[in-house]
């Protein structure tokens, strides 16, 4: 009789913390693959180099001794027909070569997500083996100790085993034939099996001459009887010549059964009969059971991968070795993975240059430092799946030059979940067959949502019990919860590493909490008890009313009972009334989205993309004291994820995961959002919040909605937002949904460069007022600006380029633009390092311009010659009436010449000083405001010298006038200048 086997999921309900116990430690040397792809079969295969001794008559019966799946056997075949065997071996060798080639192509194929969210890496090029720890049935049944992440990082493993050694003899010297390789979701079981198959195809696994992998998910869909040999040839037609030799030769065969949790196996003789004939048709599950019993093909080796909850489905006597995949429990493995993944040549895109290589190295260095601090990200990266997510997110943040519609942050997280949960049923033995992701959205999503609403990221055991256990009523629900705790819990929640909070849980990646909370809301799981009862009652009455309709139609023909149709119509009222109430739920979802998107307390945080970047790479600076309160938790990704989940692409992926969001529901939510989201966006948002709003529109992927929202934005102020290539692409993509003119676009101090201007070109050409100050835009950028101003659809009338290193070459490009532009009226080149030659070049082309009204050349080290030349050209210009020349190196003679200019006589006014003869200049406040705004970016000593000269000029002019009103004005301006000088000297300005 098979003994009952229990797994660690049957822990006492109060001990959620014990789930941490099986998280892996860190010590032990691991293998790392970093090899070039080899031609399949090039390394050679043992089977191809020897001639098998095949007997044409039956073999002696094998003597097999079962002991924990290990066996001792003696086979003494008698051979005949030696020439026929050699011919068969030649055909078999060719068949296995084809099989290797086919397997290599299939298992080297990377999922779409690899190509969609970054450069694709083959398993031959980039692979880091996770830690594999030898385990035992007793250890699996034993409750896990209460450990924290810190303890796990320091706990050594003495039973680490490599993939190549899984079939070595056990401690008693017996040859291991059956291996159970188990691990929770995300530890890398499937990837490890892929690598194992690819290694064999390339001759790196010489222990086996033939590898036959089976997907248990595939086998679970077929119940028709089939023989083992027919099953193999059905899946791998190249093995037609090899299959007859199975069981009749010394061929070393390895069967791989991936995902055993998908099969319902019955090892009782009453449930699955014995079968040793590979030609006998039996159900696929019976083939698997007899292979594991070693009753069918006893000489074959078998490796099974499964989740922890399904380990108990195989009786212990049929297992030779248990091995647990522990992921990247060693932080050195995490670093190695990131180093290899982020340092690949294709990581930074096709147009990568040496600067991109430096940026890659910088990313790896920052990430490595963050891991060394034992930050929360180190706990997350125990799971190789999260290492993929981190690399993909960094690629999205840093190396995205143009954003295709399919690339969104929500799309990355949705695809990440599809990679780990696609087709996964929580428990195949449960009759409900609920998808794993649907269960997670319902249970973990509730915890995530309650945390977001209470601005909480750490959860105690009581929080988990309240969320997961309080509504458990049936045996089926409790069983599902056990499987969830055993297989999935640690994928989403991990012990907190913050000192003093070691016995609380946090979401593995902070953004995952916001994603699951958004999914919980959008799926409509956030319902009151009345709403839930009403929905169930509505569905029941709706189904009953269909049956009643048939009965009423029959009875009414026999009996004249007029009240029956009336009763039937009354039954229909409730479902209709409830459908109206469900429409209110959609309004509530839209209201929640708008309320969270425009929270005023979050107005002055960094934008969400910078927040994600900080959560991955860490924040450089002093570490927060453990006793300091954490009252700055923000959840600005929550509403953005809500919008992203409603996009058509993400809804299609979620449909595959069992989380259905109907088109009508998405349409009604979007319709309700127009009343709230667009109205709130018109109030005027701070730059970082406006960037979040634009990113929300990009994630929403609803072009019609986005176009209507963008038309309401006449002014776009993104000053001081760090405009990375990704943000520039998002801005260009969102603004590109319409063709309306933008009144003003403020990109002051946004870290723009030449490529940024190139990306934003379609947007810039439609802006009337364009602010590009403080962006380190040099001559190459000025070349792009020249092309912008010469574009036939350019509407730019005001262009501010102050505090950019334009230089003489840049001035040449801008001068060419002035000559051919027909829209520009105001140009500011304040503090742009023009010098005399740059100003001369601009003056030479001014005559060809017919629209410029104001030109600012202040603080450019201009001398008398250049300044007077510019003014002489300005006198002849048809529209230019104001030239700013303050803070230049102009002599006293030059000042007198410029003082003599008269607007009524010369047609131009030069703003050089705060005085105009014996009066105060009308523009004195403008000049001082310009100085005050730009002082942080100017040479303070030089500014102090200029302010001193201005003060002396003011005092001199005041002494020359006798008008008391003018003296008062002079005194007022002098006090402002003295105040500015005082602050400058004390460093407070």
């Amino acid at each position: 009789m098979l003994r009952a086997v229990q797994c660690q999921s049957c822990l006492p309900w109060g001990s959620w913390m014990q789930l941490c116990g099986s998280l892996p430690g860190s010590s032990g040397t691991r293998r790392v693959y970093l090899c070039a792809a080899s031609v399949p079969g090039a390394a050679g295969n043992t089977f191809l180099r020897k001639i098998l001794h095949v007997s044409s008559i039956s073999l002696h019966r094998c003597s097999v001794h079962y002991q924990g799946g290990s066996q001792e056997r003696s086979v003494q075949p008698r051979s005949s027909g030696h020439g026929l065997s050699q011919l068969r071996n030649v055909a078999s060798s060719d068949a296995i070569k084809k099989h290797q080639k086919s397997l290599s192509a299939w298992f080297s194929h990377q999922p779409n997500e690899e190509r969609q969210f970054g450069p694709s890496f083959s398993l031959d090029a980039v692979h880091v083996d996770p830690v594999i720890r030898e385990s035992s049935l007793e250890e699996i049944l034993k409750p896990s100790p209460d450990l924290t992440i810190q303890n796990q990082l320091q706990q050594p493993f003495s039973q680490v085993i490599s993939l190549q050694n899984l079939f070595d003899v056990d401690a008693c010297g017996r040859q291991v034939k059956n291996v159970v390789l188990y691990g929770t979701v995300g530890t890398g079981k499937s990837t490890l099996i892929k690598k194992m198959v690819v290694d064999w195809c390339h001759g790196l696994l010489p222990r086996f001459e033939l590898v036959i992998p089976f997907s248990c998910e595939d086998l679970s869909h077929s119940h028709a009887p089939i023989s083992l040999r027919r099953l193999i040839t059905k899946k791998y037609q190249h093995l037609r010549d090899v299959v007859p030799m199975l069981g009749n030769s010394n061929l070393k065969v390895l069967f791989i059964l991936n995902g055993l949790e998908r099969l319902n196996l019955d090892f009782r003789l009453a449930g699955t009969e014995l079968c040793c004939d590979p030609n006998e048709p039996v159900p696929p599950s019976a083939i698997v059971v007899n292979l594991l019993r070693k009753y069918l093909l006893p000489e074959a080796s078998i490796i099974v991968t499964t989740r922890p909850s399904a380990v108990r489905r195989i009786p212990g006597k049929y297992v030779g070795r248990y091995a647990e995949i522990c992921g990247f429990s060693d932080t050195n493995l995490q670093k190695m993975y990131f180093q290899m993944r982020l340092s690949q040549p294709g990581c930074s895109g096709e147009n990568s240059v040496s600067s991109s290589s430096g940026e890659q190295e910088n990313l790896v260095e920052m990430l490595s430092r963050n891991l060394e601090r034992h930050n929360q990200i180190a706990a997350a990266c125990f799971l190789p799946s999260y290492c993929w997510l981190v690399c993909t997110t960094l690629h999205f943040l840093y190396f995205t030059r143009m954003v295709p519609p399919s690339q969104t942050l929500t799309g990355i997280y949705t695809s990440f979940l599809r990679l780990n949960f696609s087709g996964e049923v929580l428990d195949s033995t449960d009759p409900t067959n609920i998808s794993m992701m649907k269960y997670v959205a319902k249970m973990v999503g509730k915890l995530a949502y309650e945390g977001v609403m209470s601005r909480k990221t750490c959860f105690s055991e009581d929080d988990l019990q309240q969320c997961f256990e309080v509504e458990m009523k049936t045996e089926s629900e409790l069983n599902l919860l056990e499987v969830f705790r055993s297989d999935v819990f640690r994928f989403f929640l991990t012990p907190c590493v913050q000192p003093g909070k070691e016995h609380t849980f946090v979401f593995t990646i902070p953004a995952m909490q916001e994603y699951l909370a958004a999914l919980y809301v959008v799926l409509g799981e956030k319902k009151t008890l009345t709403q839930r009862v009403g929905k169930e009652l509505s569905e029941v009455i709706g189904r009953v009313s269909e049956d009643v309709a048939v009965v009423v139609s029959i009875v009414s023909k026999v009996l004249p009972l007029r009240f029956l149709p009336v009763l039937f119509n009354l039954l229909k009222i409730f479902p209709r009334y409830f459908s109206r109430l469900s429409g209110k739920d959609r309004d509530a979802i839209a209201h929640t989205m708008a309320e969270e998107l425009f929270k005023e307390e979050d107005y002055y945080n960094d934008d969400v993309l910078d927040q994600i970047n900080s959560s991955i790479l860490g924040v450089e600076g002093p570490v927060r004291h453990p006793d300091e309160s954490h009252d700055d938790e923000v959840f600005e990704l929550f509403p953005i994820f809500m919008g992203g989940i409603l996009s058509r692409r993400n809804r299609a992926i979620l449909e595959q995961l069992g989380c259905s969001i109907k088109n009508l529901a998405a349409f009604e939510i979007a319709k309700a959002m127009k009343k709230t989201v667009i109205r709130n966006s018109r109030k005027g948002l701070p730059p970082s919040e406006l960037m979040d709003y634009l990113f929300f529109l990009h994630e929403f992927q609803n072009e019609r909605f986005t176009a209507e929202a963008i038309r309401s934005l006449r002014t776009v102020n993104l000053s001081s937002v760090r405009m990375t290539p990704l943000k520039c692409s998002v801005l260009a993509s969102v603004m590109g949904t319409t063709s309306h003119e933008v009144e003003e676009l403020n990109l002051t101090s946004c870290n723009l460069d030449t490529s940024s201007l190139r990306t934003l070109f379609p947007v810039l050409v439609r802006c009337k007022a364009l602010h590009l100050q403080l962006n380190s835009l040099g001559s190459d950028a000025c070349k792009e600006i020249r092309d912008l101003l010469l574009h036939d659809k350019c509407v730019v009338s005001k262009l501010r380029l102050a505090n950019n290193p334009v230089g003489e070459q840049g001035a040449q490009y801008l001068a060419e633009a002035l000559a051919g532009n027909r829209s520009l009226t105001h140009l500011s080149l304040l503090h742009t390092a023009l010098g005399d030659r740059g100003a001369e070049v601009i003056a030479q082309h001014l005559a060809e311009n017919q629209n410029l009204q104001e030109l600012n050349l202040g603080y450019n080290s201009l001398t008398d010659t250049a300044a007077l030349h510019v003014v002489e050209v300005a006198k002849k210009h048809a529209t230019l009436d104001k030239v700013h020349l303050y803070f230049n190196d102009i002599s006293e003679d030059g000042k007198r010449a410029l003082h003599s200019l008269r607007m009524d006589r010369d047609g131009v006014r030069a703003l050089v000083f705060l005085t105009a003869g014996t009066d105060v200049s009308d523009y004195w406040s403008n000049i001082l405001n310009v100085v005050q705004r730009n002082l942080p970016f100017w040479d303070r000593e030089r500014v102090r010298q200029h302010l001193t000269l201005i003060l002396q000029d003011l005092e001199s002019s005041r002494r020359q006038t006798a008008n008391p009103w003018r003296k008062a004005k002079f005194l007022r301006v002098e006090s402002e200048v003295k105040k500015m000088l005082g602050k400058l000297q004390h460093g407070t300005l």
Side-chain angles (χ1 to χ4, degrees):
M1 180 180 296
L2 303 178
R3 59 177 175 177
V5 181
Q6 298 178 349
C7 76
Q8 62 181 357
S9 62
C10 300
L11 296 174
W13 290 112
S15 56
W16 284 90
M17 185 59 67
Q18 293 182 358
L19 288 172
C20 319
S22 56
L23 284 177
S26 63
S27 66
T29 304
R30 305 299 307 137
R31 289 185 307 112
V32 178
Y33 289 95
L34 182 55
C35 54
S38 57
V39 180
N45 190 289
T46 307
F47 177 80
L48 304 181
R49 293 195 300 266
K50 76 175 187 177
I51 297 178
L52 296 174
H53 193 62
V54 183
S55 175
S56 60
I57 62 175
S58 62
L59 300 174
H60 287 298
R61 183 178 300 274
C62 297
S63 174
V64 181
H65 173 66
Y66 290 98
Q67 179 65 39
S70 304
Q71 51 179 301
E72 300 170 357
R73 60 187 178 88
S74 59
V75 182
Q76 297 177 351
R78 291 176 298 175
S79 62
S80 65
H82 188 66
L84 181 60
S85 298
Q86 288 183 337
L87 292 176
R88 288 179 178 174
N89 288 329
V90 172
S92 300
S93 300
D94 292 338
I96 291 182
K97 285 182 179 179
K98 293 180 181 179
H99 180 58
Q100 287 178 321
K101 184 176 180 180
S102 176
L103 281 184
S104 178
W106 177 259
F107 281 86
S108 297
H109 176 74
Q110 295 293 328
N112 291 333
E113 286 76 9
E114 283 284 357
R115 298 187 296 274
Q116 181 182 349
F117 300 111
S120 180
F121 302 109
S122 68
L123 289 173
D124 292 326
V126 176
H127 179 73
V128 178
D129 269 347
V131 171
I132 303 176
R133 183 181 65 90
E134 187 169 2
S135 183
S136 65
L137 184 61
E138 292 74 17
E139 188 173 346
I140 295 172
L141 298 176
K142 182 176 62 177
S144 302
D146 184 6
L147 294 179
T148 60
I149 289 292
Q150 284 84 352
N151 292 336
Q152 294 153 22
L153 287 171
Q154 299 167 1
Q155 179 190 9
F157 276 149
S158 58
Q159 295 179 313
V160 172
I161 186 171
S162 67
L163 189 65
Q164 279 75 9
N165 298 330
L166 287 177
F167 290 94
D168 288 353
V169 295
D170 61 12
C172 299
R174 292 184 293 264
Q175 182 66 45
V176 172
K177 285 293 183 180
N178 289 353
V179 174
V180 172
L181 193 62
Y182 67 94
T184 58
V185 175
T187 50
K189 299 184 295 295
S190 298
T191 303
L192 194 64
I193 291 301
K194 281 185 178 182
K195 185 64 174 67
M196 185 179 187
V197 173
V198 172
D199 280 351
W200 175 76
C201 293
H202 295 164
L204 301 178
L205 201 62
R207 180 190 293 266
F208 302 105
E209 297 163 339
L210 179 63
V211 171
I212 303 177
F214 285 119
S215 166
C216 293
E217 179 184 2
D218 180 34
L219 297 179
S220 68
H221 295 310
S222 175
H223 302 285
I226 188 172
S227 69
L228 174 61
R229 289 178 175 173
R230 177 70 187 99
L231 180 64
I232 294 173
T233 56
K234 180 180 179 182
K235 305 300 180 184
Y236 306 105
Q237 61 178 350
H238 301 299
L239 298 179
R240 286 192 302 267
D241 297 329
V242 180
V243 165
M245 302 169 58
L246 294 179
N248 299 324
S249 69
N250 292 328
L251 188 66
K252 297 177 181 178
V253 183
L254 172 65
F255 287 98
I256 298 176
L257 302 173
N258 189 34
L260 191 75
E261 67 274 358
R262 299 302 300 268
L263 286 175
N264 294 327
L265 303 181
D266 190 349
F267 280 82
R268 300 172 303 160
L269 291 177
T272 304
E273 64 177 342
L274 296 174
C275 177
C276 64
D277 186 0
N279 295 311
E280 178 71 21
V282 293
S285 60
I287 293 177
V288 172
V289 168
N290 281 291
L291 283 172
L292 290 170
R293 283 171 173 168
K294 286 291 171 250
Y295 202 77
L296 180 62
L297 299 185
E299 72 280 358
S301 299
I302 301 173
I303 185 169
V304 173
T305 67
T306 185
R307 302 200 303 258
S309 63
V311 172
R312 56 182 156 179
R313 297 184 189 178
I314 306 176
K317 66 179 181 179
Y318 297 132
V319 179
R321 175 170 283 129
Y322 291 94
E324 180 184 10
I325 302 181
C326 302
F328 294 156
S329 56
D330 187 345
T331 54
N332 290 323
L333 295 179
Q334 301 173 15
K335 293 179 185 179
M336 183 64 69
Y337 180 92
F338 292 132
Q339 177 72 36
M340 295 166 63
R341 188 73 188 246
L342 293 174
S343 299
Q344 289 295 307
C347 186
S348 56
E350 295 179 359
N351 299 323
S352 61
V353 291
S354 58
S355 59
S356 298
S357 176
E359 189 171 20
Q360 290 172 259
E361 293 177 2
N362 187 42
L363 280 179
V364 173
E365 178 63 25
M366 293 178 67
L367 192 54
S368 178
R369 286 203 300 268
N370 206 18
L371 291 172
E372 289 170 359
R373 299 188 195 108
H374 295 308
N375 204 307
Q376 199 66 52
I377 191 174
C381 292
F382 274 118
L383 299 174
S385 293
Y386 276 99
C387 292
W388 179 90
L389 180 61
V390 167
C391 289
T392 303
T393 305
L394 286 176
H395 185 275
F396 179 68
L397 292 176
Y398 280 89
F399 304 120
T400 302
R401 299 295 181 251
M402 294 298 295
V403 182
S406 59
Q407 262 196 26
T408 63
L409 186 67
T410 314
I412 289 176
Y413 276 76
T414 306
S415 298
F416 168 69
L417 293 174
R418 192 187 75 82
L419 283 172
N420 289 278
F421 295 97
S422 179
E424 291 284 351
V425 175
L426 184 62
D427 185 4
S428 60
T429 62
D430 188 81
T432 61
N433 265 340
I434 185 171
S435 75
M436 189 179 289
M437 195 61 230
K438 178 68 174 178
Y439 189 88
V440 167
K442 181 179 179 181
M443 303 297 290
V444 188
K446 178 183 177 183
L447 180 72
Y449 174 75
E450 291 177 354
V452 169
M453 290 297 100
S454 59
R455 301 179 81 83
K456 178 178 177 182
T457 58
C458 293
F459 304 92
S460 65
E461 289 192 34
D462 291 338
D463 296 327
L464 300 180
Q465 291 176 8
Q466 287 293 321
C467 185
F468 295 150
E469 301 173 16
V470 71
E471 295 182 4
M472 297 291 106
K473 299 177 182 178
T474 66
E475 183 72 16
S476 175
E477 289 176 336
L478 288 173
N479 290 337
L480 288 175
L481 184 58
E482 287 178 0
V483 175
F484 166 76
R485 296 172 71 242
S486 173
D487 298 349
V488 191
F489 176 82
R490 284 179 292 161
F491 185 85
F492 293 102
L493 292 159
T494 186
C496 183
V497 301
Q498 182 184 334
K501 295 189 177 182
E502 293 87 350
H503 296 280
T504 61
F505 288 90
V506 296
F507 277 83
T508 313
I509 290 286
M512 186 59 73
Q513 177 179 353
E514 298 177 76
Y515 181 93
L516 292 178
L519 184 61
Y520 177 77
V521 174
V522 174
L523 286 176
E525 295 293 340
K526 185 178 76 69
K527 291 185 176 69
T528 62
L529 180 61
T530 304
Q531 289 173 324
R532 291 179 182 174
V533 173
K535 181 181 179 181
E536 294 175 1
L537 187 60
S538 172
E539 291 174 351
V540 170
I541 293 177
R543 288 193 295 267
V544 169
S545 63
E546 295 176 0
D547 299 332
V548 171
V550 178
V551 176
V552 167
S553 63
I554 296 173
V555 174
S556 60
K557 293 178 181 178
V558 180
L559 299 175
L561 301 177
R562 297 181 179 179
F563 71 91
L564 288 178
V566 176
L567 177 63
F568 171 63
N569 289 329
L570 286 174
L571 286 173
K572 286 184 175 181
I573 290 177
F574 187 83
R576 291 174 183 171
Y577 177 73
F578 185 80
S579 66
R580 293 181 181 179
L581 289 179
S582 64
K584 298 294 184 182
D585 291 344
R586 277 70 182 264
D587 290 342
I589 292 174
H591 177 75
T592 301
M593 197 180 305
E595 184 180 6
E596 293 296 322
L597 190 62
F598 300 108
K599 269 192 172 181
E600 292 189 8
E601 56 263 40
D602 297 335
Y603 266 14
Y604 299 99
N605 299 320
D606 292 337
D607 61 80
V608 291
L609 294 175
D610 283 350
Q611 291 176 30
I612 295 174
N613 182 68
S614 298
S615 70
I616 295 176
L617 298 180
V619 179
E620 301 293 335
V623 181
R624 188 202 306 264
H625 191 273
D627 297 332
E628 187 178 345
S629 61
H630 287 245
D631 55 355
D632 57 347
E633 300 292 354
V634 292
F635 298 94
E636 294 181 273
L637 268 176
F638 169 55
I640 293 175
F641 277 143
M642 287 179 68
I645 288 171
L646 288 170
S647 70
R648 184 181 299 274
R649 178 181 177 81
N650 286 319
R651 283 189 286 119
I653 297 176
L654 288 169
E655 181 78 30
Q656 301 172 20
L657 297 175
C659 301
S660 178
I661 304 171
K662 302 300 182 184
N663 288 332
L664 180 60
F667 173 77
E668 290 179 347
I669 293 172
K671 184 178 179 181
M673 282 167 55
K674 290 183 180 180
K675 307 173 186 177
T676 54
V677 173
I678 296 179
R679 183 177 65 247
N680 286 330
S681 69
R682 293 171 180 165
K683 297 178 180 179
L685 300 172
S688 61
E689 290 302 305
L690 179 57
M691 187 67 241
D692 289 347
Y693 178 57
L694 296 174
F695 189 61
F696 164 80
L697 295 175
H698 168 72
E699 294 284 312
F700 192 34
Q701 293 288 297
N702 186 322
E703 190 169 339
R704 183 179 298 177
F705 180 92
T706 301
E708 186 171 343
I710 290 300
R711 287 192 195 99
S712 65
L713 293 178
R714 292 292 176 179
T715 300
V716 179
N717 180 11
L718 296 174
S719 60
S720 300
V721 173
R722 189 173 61 92
M723 294 298 291
T724 61
L726 171 62
K727 294 176 191 176
C728 291
S729 298
V730 168
L731 177 59
S733 173
V734 171
M735 298 293 290
T737 57
T738 69
S739 57
H740 77 288
E741 294 182 359
V742 180
E743 293 295 331
E744 183 179 359
L745 175 60
N746 191 344
L747 295 175
T748 301
S749 188
C750 289
N751 296 95
L752 298 180
D753 56 17
T754 305
S755 61
S756 303
L757 296 179
R758 199 173 295 125
T759 302
L760 293 172
F761 191 95
V763 179
L764 303 180
V765 78
R766 295 189 284 120
C767 299
K768 292 183 178 179
L770 190 55
H771 301 266
L772 299 176
Q773 305 98 299
L774 296 163
N775 279 297
S776 301
L777 299 177
S779 58
D780 290 340
C782 290
K783 189 175 182 180
E784 295 295 326
I785 295 172
R786 178 198 63 183
D787 296 341
L788 169 71
L789 294 175
L790 293 178
H791 195 276
D792 56 352
K793 294 184 179 179
C794 177
V795 298
V796 177
S797 59
K798 294 183 179 180
L799 176 61
R800 301 188 183 278
L801 288 170
N803 300 302
N804 283 298
V806 172
E808 181 184 343
Q809 183 59 52
Q812 178 66 45
Y813 292 132
L814 295 177
E816 295 172 8
L818 281 175
N821 179 267
R822 297 293 179 267
S823 63
L824 195 63
T825 59
H826 294 72
L827 175 62
S828 174
L829 296 174
L830 176 70
H831 192 219
T832 52
L834 296 180
D836 283 350
R837 298 186 64 180
E840 291 281 357
V841 170
I842 289 176
Q844 290 171 10
H845 289 77
L846 269 179
E848 302 175 52
N849 181 279
Q850 302 297 322
N851 301 283
L852 195 63
Q853 299 174 10
E854 184 174 346
L855 177 63
N856 191 335
L857 298 179
Y859 203 161
N860 273 296
S861 303
L862 303 187
T863 60
D864 295 1
T865 304
L868 292 173
H869 184 201
V870 170
V871 171
E872 287 299 322
V873 174
K875 286 182 182 180
K876 302 173 184 178
H877 197 281
T879 57
L880 185 58
D881 59 9
K882 193 181 299 181
V883 180
H884 300 249
L885 293 171
Y886 39 81
F887 279 31
N888 280 303
D889 301 332
I890 301 174
S891 66
E892 291 299 324
D893 292 338
K895 292 177 185 178
R896 285 192 291 271
L898 293 172
H899 265 309
S900 64
L901 290 174
R902 295 289 182 271
M903 185 65 190
D904 53 352
R905 183 188 66 200
D906 302 307
V908 65
R909 181 183 297 276
L911 279 63
V912 186
F913 307 104
L914 302 187
T915 59
T918 57
D919 198 357
V920 175
S921 171
D922 295 336
Y923 302 99
W924 71 269
S925 60
N926 293 355
I927 296 174
L928 288 184
N929 285 336
V930 168
V931 174
Q932 191 158 0
R933 283 199 308 269
N934 292 278
L935 192 57
F937 320 105
W938 289 358
D939 183 351
R940 295 200 168 206
E941 179 58 28
R942 185 172 179 182
V943 172
R944 188 190 63 79
Q945 294 175 4
H946 278 286
L947 288 177
T948 303
L949 292 175
I950 287 175
L951 184 60
Q952 294 174 358
D953 184 62
L954 286 169
E955 293 172 346
S956 175
S957 298
R958 175 169 54 83
R959 286 193 293 268
Q960 294 176 18
T961 181
N963 190 318
W965 296 108
R966 289 184 179 179
K967 285 183 178 289
K969 288 171 65 176
F970 275 115
L971 288 172
R972 179 189 172 189
V973 178
E974 287 175 30
S975 66
E976 292 292 333
V977 175
K978 288 179 180 178
K979 188 186 300 182
M980 191 177 294
L981 274 170
K983 291 182 178 180
L984 188 61
Q985 291 172 354
H986 291 91
T988 58
L989 189 60

